[in-house]
Amino acid sequence: MTVEHTAGDHLELVRDLLSRMTVAEKLGQLQQLSWNSATGHGGGETEEIENAAREGRLGSVLNITGAAHTNALQRLAVEESRLGIPLVFGLDVIHGYWTTFPIPLAQAASWDPAVAERDGEVSAEEARSAGVHWTFNPMMDVCHEPRWGRIAESAGEDPYLTAVLTAAKVRGYQGPALSADPRKVAACAKHFAAYGGAEGGRDYNTVDVSEQRLRNVYLPPFKAALDAGVATVMASFNTVSGVPAHANSHLLTEVLREEWQYDGMVVSDWTGVQELVAHGLAEDGADAIRQALGAGVDMEMVSTHITEHGEKLLAAGAIDPARLDEAVARVLLLKARLGLFTAPYAEESAEITEPTAEARRAARETAARTLVLLKNEPAADGASVLPLPASAGSVAVVGPFAHSTDLHGTWAGPGAARFAATTVLEGLRQALPSTDVLYAEGEAEAIAAVREADVTVIAVGEPGEISGEASTRADISLPAGQAELIRQVASVGKPFAVVVFGGRPLTMEEWIDEAPAVLFAWHPGLEGGHAVADVLTGKVNPSAKLPVTFPRSVGQIPLYYNHENTGRPADPADPKVPFRSFYLDVEHGPRFAFGHGLSYTRFETGAPVLSRTEISLRELGEGGSVEVTVPVRNAGDVAGTEVVQVYVHDRAASLVQPVRRLRGFARVELAPGQSEQVVLRLDSEDLGFWDNDPAGNYRVEAGAFDIYAGSDSTAAARTTLDVV
């Protein structure tokens, strides 16, 4: 039975341990090693790790899983070291452990915090049963760069949507607050900060950002994570305006510690301390750890400068002993809050070793909620291709992803190697038992199947291995040959739908105009094939919306909805008016806007109505707010869910404001003909902005605000709020 300690008990325990620890033991608590980092081939640096654990010179290990394995190593630390301080075991549990959920970018497309929270709950329970205490997730890097592979791990381009989903994921992993609950793990807010702004979309690249953009775009999701109780924070690989994040005292101390009053533990990213040397900030490893620790990093991941140079730096006065104790206390407090001092071992008999039926059901339901219907035009007979008609006697399933299990996506966890994802072919054959579902692999065979079938599903996309970390693409179109296959299927002249898998927005200009229906399925996880079939057949009416803009051409990037206006913006009525801001060789604007997503029914969203058209700065400063009511009606023939979105534009401000900012949304389920009044609230947080003061100055200014409402970021319906 686990004995829960109070906060006071935790602090007393930490103080007692600090009073008895040697310098070597303190430094060891700040060291995290990877179980397989030394050999590079999975064998593991077992001897070094085991000796360090036995001697009390190690705080954490990552990439070791399985209750028997973690327990064996834990016993060395708890039963053989002088003070018996337990290890904390970490792992990148990004969108599933055994049960792979859709990639985080797909989860953001649901615009449903319950999807992110459910993934966190299932992932935490599976991982904790296998001895994992700590996940390096959620990743909340706001991203305007689809070339960047790690956009797959993000929630897209909007800070508000990212913040909502981040808080939900933290709750899923940790519960209402971090505790000794054996079904929960500690979460980690990463990467602090602005990693998603890497120049050119190249991973690890430079980020040069103004203070106002840092605070208005990149930092809000981190503040939301802290407000949700996130246990740890991870520094990012990139520089921020010339200073690497791992040694950036403005971020790690002034903002995180002093302004936000965060008292949790900060961990480096993989060799992030060592990389201060490559950045050109630190002269050597000793200088790197001196700067990182001084800036606010508490634990060093994989590189070992804290244990190699710590004692000499302390003796030389280069490390403040009080700062060392502060970092050690944060590590010990994390372990205490997780209950590791009272229950250090995983219950081996209770270890979850495969996805349960309930977990699979959750993965399937959430995946179906993430699939975005980009296009669904009438075919030659006047009917839309999707959902697949019940009258179809035969359906051809072709393309490189028709029977592919490569649906797990990047950072999929150990389950991806052990449990194959259901394929589109398998999903459709189970969903359509009375229909002849044809399948062909080769191009000639595929076209023959298309000619024979009543309707075709073409499954295309990018493999999981070319999205994620270190997977930057200069060309984000479909891999070679896939666009040609779509054009050949189109030339047959029969109805068809394209299902696209991917870890990022893709350009589609080569083929999109020839495809009557397009479903963007991302990398949907273990139950992806079933989820796709559920949507294709109409068992599930699609409700997902894009969390990121889809460009027409890679040359338009960065392209995002919440941009600032130029002095010569393109004219919406005639975008090619000379001496305006546009490209000569591509149609103006995105192919698909942020917030776009279709349904099998039709929704009518009315103009927003304000509870009052004027509010004073004084009232806003005292917590006052304005209600926005948006009428929405299901004008179609089937039940469905619409995502009603509210955007704000400050017409004139002391700093130029984005043309629109998402400030509220609501998922609304409606039966045919049913109407509802959606009510959202705007306050000072929605109407103000951070200026360029490094000390953090939030401003709400008088003036006129346009309030837009609709089903995507191009919504035309608006009203005006005056702040006086």
Side-chain angles (χ1 to χ4, degrees):
M1 178 179 178
T2 298
V3 179
E4 180 60 47
H5 279 183
T6 67
D9 291 335
H10 295 334
L11 292 174
E12 183 180 345
L13 171 67
V14 169
R15 292 191 194 101
D16 175 64
L17 286 170
L18 277 172
S19 70
R20 295 189 287 134
M21 294 173 77
T22 65
V23 168
E25 288 168 337
K26 289 178 180 179
L27 295 170
Q29 283 301 305
L30 308 187
Q31 180 70 69
Q32 182 181 66
L33 296 176
S34 175
W35 190 243
N36 60 3
S37 65
T39 63
H41 54 70
E45 50 183 6
T46 57
E47 185 175 355
E48 178 185 347
I49 288 176
E50 288 172 354
N51 287 340
R54 187 180 287 113
E55 295 166 7
R57 296 184 293 100
L58 183 60
S60 177
V61 175
L62 72 158
N63 294 333
I64 180 171
T65 61
H69 296 126
T70 59
N71 284 347
L73 185 58
Q74 189 74 289
R75 286 189 185 94
L76 299 181
V78 172
E79 300 175 17
E80 297 190 31
S81 73
R82 188 177 72 90
L83 296 176
I85 299 173
L87 301 168
V88 59
F89 298 119
L91 186 72
D92 286 285
V93 184
I94 306 302
H95 54 109
Y97 185 81
W98 294 130
T99 307
T100 310
F101 283 75
I103 59 172
L105 187 59
Q107 293 182 36
S110 71
W111 290 56
D112 185 355
V115 166
E117 188 165 355
R118 188 71 179 116
D119 167 23
E121 290 170 347
V122 173
S123 299
E125 185 170 9
E126 291 180 348
R128 189 64 184 265
S129 80
V132 176
H133 310 125
W134 178 20
T135 175
F136 305 119
N137 206 46
M139 191 188 99
M140 54 202 68
D141 299 308
V142 174
C143 182
H144 300 157
E145 261 292 356
R147 292 175 293 185
W148 189 48
R150 297 196 84 163
I151 195 173
E153 294 178 61
S154 80
E157 70 189 42
D158 183 73
Y160 180 87
L161 179 62
T162 300
V164 171
L165 294 166
T166 289
K169 186 62 73 71
V170 170
R171 291 192 301 269
Y173 287 135
Q174 296 186 178
L178 186 64
S179 69
D181 188 335
R183 299 165 299 173
K184 298 297 183 182
V185 296
C188 183
K190 71 180 191 186
H191 306 84
F192 198 66
Y195 189 24
E199 290 182 358
R202 285 194 295 112
D203 218 342
Y204 322 119
N205 204 13
T206 300
V207 178
D208 196 6
V209 63
S210 64
E211 187 71 19
Q212 66 89 10
R213 180 160 287 201
L214 177 70
R215 288 180 175 273
N216 290 313
V217 176
Y218 295 110
L219 293 189
F222 288 93
K223 184 59 166 62
L226 265 61
D227 291 343
V230 72
T232 65
V233 171
M234 179 184 288
S236 57
F237 283 122
N238 53 283
T239 58
V240 180
S241 300
V243 182
H246 279 73
N248 196 310
S249 59
H250 175 54
L251 283 174
L252 298 178
T253 297
E254 293 173 6
V255 175
L256 187 63
R257 300 295 186 190
E258 296 172 1
E259 185 178 329
W260 291 353
Q261 295 295 295
Y262 175 65
D263 62 357
M265 192 255 282
V266 174
V267 64
S268 85
D269 207 336
W270 185 284
T271 67
V273 173
Q274 167 64 31
E275 289 168 27
L276 294 177
V277 179
H279 275 297
L281 187 77
E283 295 182 357
D284 53 27
D287 190 28
I289 192 59
R290 177 190 66 80
Q291 293 196 53
L293 191 66
V297 171
D298 297 312
M299 176 176 281
E300 181 179 7
M301 182 187 289
V302 176
S303 57
T304 55
H305 300 304
I306 188 65
T307 50
E308 290 176 6
H309 307 293
E311 293 199 45
K312 288 184 289 185
L313 290 169
L314 275 167
I319 291 179
D320 183 349
R323 172 68 188 106
L324 174 62
D325 283 0
E326 177 185 67
V328 175
R330 289 173 182 152
V331 174
L332 297 176
L333 189 59
L334 173 67
K335 296 177 179 183
R337 293 173 67 197
L338 282 164
L340 300 185
F341 285 97
T342 52
Y345 305 116
E347 182 57 60
E348 295 180 28
S349 63
E351 182 173 3
I352 299 170
T353 57
E354 63 181 3
T356 64
E358 181 181 358
R360 282 184 175 272
R361 185 163 50 252
R364 179 173 180 169
E365 291 172 356
T366 56
R369 197 165 286 191
T370 68
L371 309 185
V372 185
L373 184 61
L374 295 178
K375 184 178 179 182
N376 195 25
E377 296 178 351
D381 61 359
S384 297
V385 176
L386 296 177
L388 296 173
S391 59
S394 57
V395 176
V397 186
V398 301
F401 278 83
H403 197 34
S404 172
T405 60
D406 184 14
L407 307 185
H408 290 286
T410 183
W411 281 114
R418 186 177 296 185
F419 305 105
T422 56
T423 70
V424 175
L425 178 65
E426 292 168 341
L428 283 174
R429 282 181 169 164
Q430 290 187 35
L432 300 171
S434 301
T435 302
D436 188 10
V437 179
L438 311 174
Y439 168 65
E441 290 189 12
E443 191 168 296
E445 293 83 357
I447 298 304
V450 171
R451 295 184 188 281
E452 182 181 345
D454 296 327
V455 62
T456 294
V457 172
I458 313 174
V460 296
E462 61 172 4
E465 66 183 10
I466 62 172
S467 68
E469 185 172 356
S471 296
T472 303
R473 294 183 63 194
D475 177 0
I476 57 170
S477 61
L478 288 174
Q482 295 187 27
E484 177 59 28
L485 174 62
I486 295 171
R487 290 194 295 266
Q488 287 196 31
V489 171
S491 70
V492 174
K494 288 191 170 185
F496 71 96
V498 181
V499 178
V500 186
F501 296 96
R504 54 165 57 85
L506 299 174
T507 54
M508 306 176 181
E509 298 308 287
E510 292 180 84
W511 55 270
I512 188 73
D513 290 332
E514 298 183 62
V518 180
L519 181 70
F520 205 87
W522 314 99
H523 288 134
L526 181 64
E527 291 291 316
H530 287 313
V532 169
D534 288 342
V535 171
L536 291 177
T537 60
K539 178 181 178 182
V540 172
N541 191 349
S543 60
K545 303 282 187 176
L546 292 179
V548 62
T549 300
F550 273 46
R552 299 175 183 276
S553 165
V554 73
Q556 294 176 293
I557 298 169
L559 183 67
Y560 47 97
Y561 90 92
N562 49 349
H563 61 86
E564 298 154 5
N565 235 342
T566 75
R568 296 183 178 184
D571 184 347
D574 186 1
K576 298 297 184 180
V577 173
F579 302 103
R580 297 280 182 152
S581 183
F582 64 88
Y583 294 98
L584 291 172
D585 53 351
V586 66
E587 188 175 337
H588 186 66
R591 168 54 77 165
F592 296 110
F594 174 87
H596 171 77
L598 304 177
S599 168
Y600 294 149
T601 191
R602 182 171 57 87
F603 295 101
E604 295 175 349
T605 303
V609 177
L610 304 180
S611 59
R612 54 197 298 188
T613 58
E614 183 178 288
I615 188 170
S616 70
L617 288 170
R618 179 184 59 79
E619 289 176 281
L620 286 169
E622 295 173 351
S625 62
V626 176
E627 287 186 347
V628 184
T629 300
V630 185
V632 58
R633 175 175 175 266
N634 184 346
D637 299 325
V638 296
T641 298
E642 176 63 300
V643 180
V644 177
Q645 304 163 37
V646 171
Y647 296 85
V648 170
H649 173 226
D650 186 347
R651 291 184 192 170
S654 56
L655 284 176
V656 173
Q657 292 301 293
V659 294
R660 296 190 184 192
R661 291 190 300 139
L662 177 71
R663 296 312 304 169
F665 64 89
R667 289 177 55 89
V668 186
E669 297 182 21
L670 297 173
Q674 183 181 1
S675 299
E676 188 168 320
Q677 302 287 320
V678 174
V679 180
L680 299 168
R681 190 179 302 274
L682 301 176
D683 57 24
S684 62
E685 187 176 347
D686 304 300
L687 302 174
F689 58 90
W690 294 92
D691 65 17
N692 273 308
D693 188 339
N697 185 28
Y698 188 76
R699 310 175 68 141
V700 182
E701 299 179 344
F705 290 77
D706 295 317
I707 313 299
Y708 295 89
S711 57
D712 64 33
S713 59
T714 67
R718 72 172 180 177
T719 190
T720 302
L721 172 67
D722 289 315
V723 176
V724 297

